Amino acid sequence: HVYITQMKHSRFIEFIGVPGSGKTTVSHQAAILLREKGIRISEPTYVINNKTRARKRQLLKIWYVLRLSLLAPGRACAWFGLVAGTRQKSIKDLIEMIINVSLILELLRTGARRKRMYYFDQGLFQAIWSLNYRARRKISFDARPLRRIRSILPPIYHLIQISAESESVLRRLRERTNEQSRIERELQTRKMRDVIRNAEESMDGLIRQVKTHSLVGEYTNFTNDDTAHPDRLASQVAAWTEKITRTTT
């Protein structure tokens, strides 16, 4: 595909949605379809979080923190301060957020130098949502945070939101056994529907800010309820990706 091989900039497409919406499954299935058409696409966050053993994954994330700190110290300090300013509810949460944000920042920094297409099932805006979800002081979209966000966004950065009805989200979260997300841990101690409602309201607020400040090139939303056919949904996402790739350079 000429429009892939001759692109001037890397293209990043982030999938965003509350845990249980199905963004990881949808993004990976769409990537498989694109590869079947001969389109090269990388899934760095998917590989790290789903194809790497737990111990190696933790070591790899720490390596990314160190790389960012050594090779982009100004960016690292600015974002470490931004994360610390959210006043997470525990030291464990703070460390987890610093590691996850550093991973995204370093993947964006290195990926921007390569003329490739990327799917991020865990990207910058998902990280901001996670930061704000249990923060005592949320990241506001005023002048300073906006400058920091814009300074790290590559020239071509698109956003796909994967939405689902609350009942679908709850069912999927109940079926999980690894409790990777904060929501999954909170389901053990709080009313399930309250947890999901708070998560969805926080996500809606973030999406409004992204649109208001024109932080991404293109935004779209796909619904992934229990009635959605997985193969058809993945095909629609892949088709949207091809379309948007042809219109950006």
Side-chain angles (χ1 to χ4, degrees):
H1 289 257
V2 175
Y3 59 90
I4 296 293
T5 59
Q6 293 184 352
M7 59 186 177
K8 298 177 182 177
H9 302 284
S10 290
R11 292 169 171 83
F12 294 85
I13 299 177
E14 175 182 343
F15 289 75
I16 191 170
V18 300
S21 61
K23 59 186 178 295
T24 295
T25 301
V26 172
S27 65
H28 184 56
Q29 289 177 340
I32 291 173
L33 293 177
L34 291 171
R35 292 191 188 102
E36 289 175 351
K37 294 183 177 182
I39 298 174
R40 293 182 61 188
I41 183 164
S42 297
E43 303 174 83
T45 54
Y46 177 84
V47 172
I48 290 171
N49 291 318
N50 297 277
K51 295 296 183 180
T52 308
R53 292 183 179 180
R55 182 172 179 80
K56 183 178 179 181
R57 179 170 61 245
Q58 292 303 319
L59 292 174
L60 187 60
K61 288 184 176 182
I62 292 172
W63 166 242
Y64 276 109
V65 175
L66 295 174
R67 273 185 47 147
L68 180 71
S69 301
L70 290 172
L71 300 179
R75 177 175 295 185
C77 288
W79 276 86
F80 290 172
L82 189 65
V83 173
T86 61
R87 298 175 59 194
Q88 298 294 308
K89 292 187 176 181
S90 70
I91 296 297
K92 179 181 177 182
D93 283 348
L94 175 61
I95 294 173
E96 180 183 338
M97 288 296 99
I98 287 176
I99 291 174
N100 289 340
V101 168
S102 297
L103 170 65
I104 300 301
L105 295 181
E106 183 60 10
L107 288 174
L108 289 176
R109 190 186 71 83
T110 55
R113 302 201 305 263
R114 303 164 182 164
K115 295 179 181 180
R116 295 183 183 178
M117 184 159 63
Y118 294 91
Y119 268 0
F120 277 37
D121 68 327
Q122 301 286 337
L124 177 64
F125 294 107
Q126 188 75 31
I128 292 173
W129 172 84
S130 187
L131 274 169
N132 281 345
Y133 180 65
R134 292 191 63 198
R136 294 189 179 97
R137 182 183 299 163
K138 298 182 185 299
I139 294 176
S140 61
F141 283 76
D142 54 21
R144 181 176 294 179
L146 277 174
R147 283 198 302 270
R148 290 178 180 171
I149 292 170
R150 288 196 169 105
S151 70
I152 64 171
L153 283 173
I156 301 176
Y157 197 93
H158 305 306
L159 192 64
I160 296 177
Q161 183 179 7
I162 303 297
S163 302
E165 293 292 337
S166 299
E167 291 302 321
S168 298
V169 171
L170 280 171
R171 181 187 60 77
R172 293 165 187 161
L173 291 178
R174 289 192 189 104
E175 292 175 352
R176 292 184 180 180
T177 58
N178 52 8
E179 296 187 7
Q180 285 189 351
S181 70
R182 294 181 175 189
I183 284 184
E184 291 166 74
R185 295 193 289 267
E186 286 194 349
L187 288 177
Q188 308 301 320
T189 59
R190 297 174 55 191
K191 292 182 178 180
M192 291 184 177
R193 284 172 177 76
D194 289 344
V195 172
I196 300 302
R197 184 178 64 252
N198 292 340
E200 291 172 340
E201 290 175 353
S202 178
M203 182 63 68
D204 290 343
L206 174 61
I207 294 298
R208 283 196 299 272
Q209 293 290 350
V210 170
K211 291 179 179 179
T212 297
H213 297 287
S214 302
L215 294 175
V216 297
E218 296 289 340
Y219 162 85
T220 192
N221 187 315
F222 291 93
T223 301
N224 186 30
D225 290 331
D226 290 339
T227 57
H229 192 284
D231 292 340
R232 186 179 301 120
L233 181 58
S235 179
Q236 291 171 348
V237 171
W240 185 88
T241 300
E242 288 190 84
K243 178 182 176 182
I244 203 62
T245 300
R246 291 190 185 99
T247 59
T248 53
T249 59

